[in-house]
Amino acid sequence: LEELKTRVGNLDKKTHGMRSGERTTTRLPCALLEDEKCIAYEDRPFSCRGANSFDVELCRKMLEGGKELTTYSHQRDVWFTIGKNLTTGIEDAGQSESLLELTAALKLALEHENPLLAWQTGALNFASARCVEARPPAPLQR
């Protein structure tokens, strides 16, 4: 847990407040990666579920500044539709939408022994982790 907190804190110092595209082009690995594998895969954030690739080597090349990836457009479209409707539901419930930067939100959550309870009681405020972007990107054109 302490190693994770350190990775999250170090990454947040480098990426906090950046737009999504800027965070991607930094080529910095996600703080949740250990031995090139996601330690939160089963419970990964919604935005991560929309990312995909046909080939791990193409992913590696893209991260090293190479080609753009070919992705599963149907999965991306489903991800976009769910995201759009979640946003609409949040707004219909009278709440303001607030997408969060994963690393910044993790940093805040890891400062609490019980993050869920802290959030429920108002002791955990994610305002400083809000993304610059407000909505998920549009579906890919085919």
Side-chain angles (χ1 to χ4, degrees):
L1 183 59
E2 290 307 314
E3 287 177 24
L4 176 61
K5 287 179 181 181
T6 299
R7 282 198 314 269
V8 169
N10 289 340
L11 185 58
D12 185 56
K13 286 176 189 171
K14 296 173 184 174
T15 62
H16 192 88
M18 288 182 174
R19 297 184 67 82
S20 176
E22 291 174 293
R23 288 191 305 274
T24 300
T25 59
T26 64
R27 310 285 190 235
L28 296 169
C30 175
L32 295 174
L33 290 177
E34 285 183 6
D35 299 322
E36 297 185 10
K37 291 185 173 56
C38 178
I39 62 172
Y41 187 81
E42 292 300 318
D43 297 309
R44 66 195 180 280
F46 180 70
S47 59
C48 296
R49 292 172 188 267
N52 58 73
S53 173
F54 292 107
D55 185 320
V56 70
E57 281 307 310
L58 288 177
C59 280
R60 192 177 320 280
K61 287 177 184 175
M62 187 275 302
L63 288 172
E64 292 169 355
K67 298 180 182 181
E68 192 146 324
L69 288 177
T70 302
T71 62
Y72 300 104
S73 61
H74 297 298
Q75 179 182 348
R76 181 101 174 139
D77 290 350
V78 167
W79 172 82
F80 171 76
T81 301
I82 292 170
K84 181 179 175 192
N85 287 301
L86 283 171
T87 297
T88 300
I90 290 167
E91 291 169 349
D92 286 350
Q95 301 296 316
S96 67
E97 170 197 19
S98 60
L99 295 175
L100 303 176
E101 293 178 21
L102 173 62
T103 305
L106 274 174
K107 181 180 177 291
L108 293 171
L110 290 170
E111 292 171 354
H112 296 271
E113 187 173 323
N114 185 334
L116 178 58
L117 181 62
W119 177 72
Q120 290 171 329
T121 61
L124 173 52
N125 182 336
F126 286 110
S128 65
R130 286 196 178 120
C131 282
V132 175
E133 301 87 350
R135 301 195 185 280
L140 296 174
Q141 298 298 316
R142 287 184 219 132

